[in-house]
Amino acid sequence: MDNNMKKLTRSTGNRMMCGVCGGIGEYLNVDPTLVRLIWALCSLASVGMGVILYIVAAIVMPEDNQIVG
């Protein structure tokens, strides 16, 4: 089996709060700051639904096990 499959995980090295947006940015190979801005705009447009989705994602997504240093 191929162990090089990409997994969606919370980032340990590129996090502001829980690492959800950093993990999504790493998974999609885009700047995590861009993901954070889009997430914030969507949260404002949906009257806070993005905050609820962020909390759910922080609970459901596993944390990245890489040691950064």
Side-chain angles (χ1 to χ4, degrees):
M1 280 297 204
D2 185 28
N3 289 335
N4 292 331
M5 287 183 55
K6 287 180 17 175
K7 290 185 178 182
L8 181 59
T9 58
R10 289 185 291 135
S11 177
T12 54
N14 197 353
R15 65 178 5 170
M16 296 287 277
M17 290 175 54
C18 295
V20 173
C21 292
I24 292 171
E26 290 171 1
Y27 183 78
L28 297 175
N29 290 326
V30 296
D31 186 16
T33 304
L34 182 63
V35 176
R36 289 182 187 105
L37 286 173
I38 292 171
W39 197 292
L41 289 175
C42 290
S43 293
L44 290 173
S46 66
V47 192
M49 188 62 166
V51 175
I52 295 169
L53 291 175
Y54 188 91
I55 293 169
V56 170
I59 294 169
V60 173
M61 286 173 60
E63 190 166 318
D64 186 10
N65 292 330
Q66 291 181 348
I67 297 173
V68 178

